[in-house]
Amino acid sequence: MPEANSAFSIQNLNFYYSAKRALSNITMEIPPRKVTALIGPSGCGKSTFLRCLNRMNDTIAGTRVEGKILLDGSDIYAPDMDVVDLRQRVGMVFQKPNPRTNCRTTPSASRWDSSSGCASPAWWQSSRRSF
């Protein structure tokens, strides 16, 4: 049963990539205006779960959702849900890339440390954005 003070109420959520179940029987409440952390190893379904919350998985062929996700009491997978409006309300902030993962691209003199072939720490500090 969804709690009255939940922004999201997730009930028996299962998510599939074709026949492979990626998320299994997730039931949880996410309170409004609070920080909620999803912590786990790479490949455990954190991003898949987050994409379920704004229906970004709809764009992936062969995927299927079972269960309910309510946002302020409304089923986000209901046929009459305006997906554009949903995605405006439930935004995604993607992880910043690790500056050392793909360093061997063509370096520019102002940003790259020629000894390592990677972005210099000074450039990464100056390029940070505040939201």
Side-chain angles (χ1 to χ4, degrees), residues 99-112:
R100 293 191 121 4
T101 55
N102 188 9
C103 301
R104 303 290 178 204
T105 58
T106 308
S108 120
S110 63
R111 292 189 260 186
W112 292 85

Side-chain angles (χ1 to χ4, degrees), residues 10-15 21 23-28 66:
I10 296 93
Q11 303 164 10
N12 303 312
L13 176 68
N14 294 291
F15 183 81
R21 183 162 53 180
L23 301 176
S24 180
N25 201 31
I26 296 173
T27 297
M28 66 182 293
E66 296 174 350

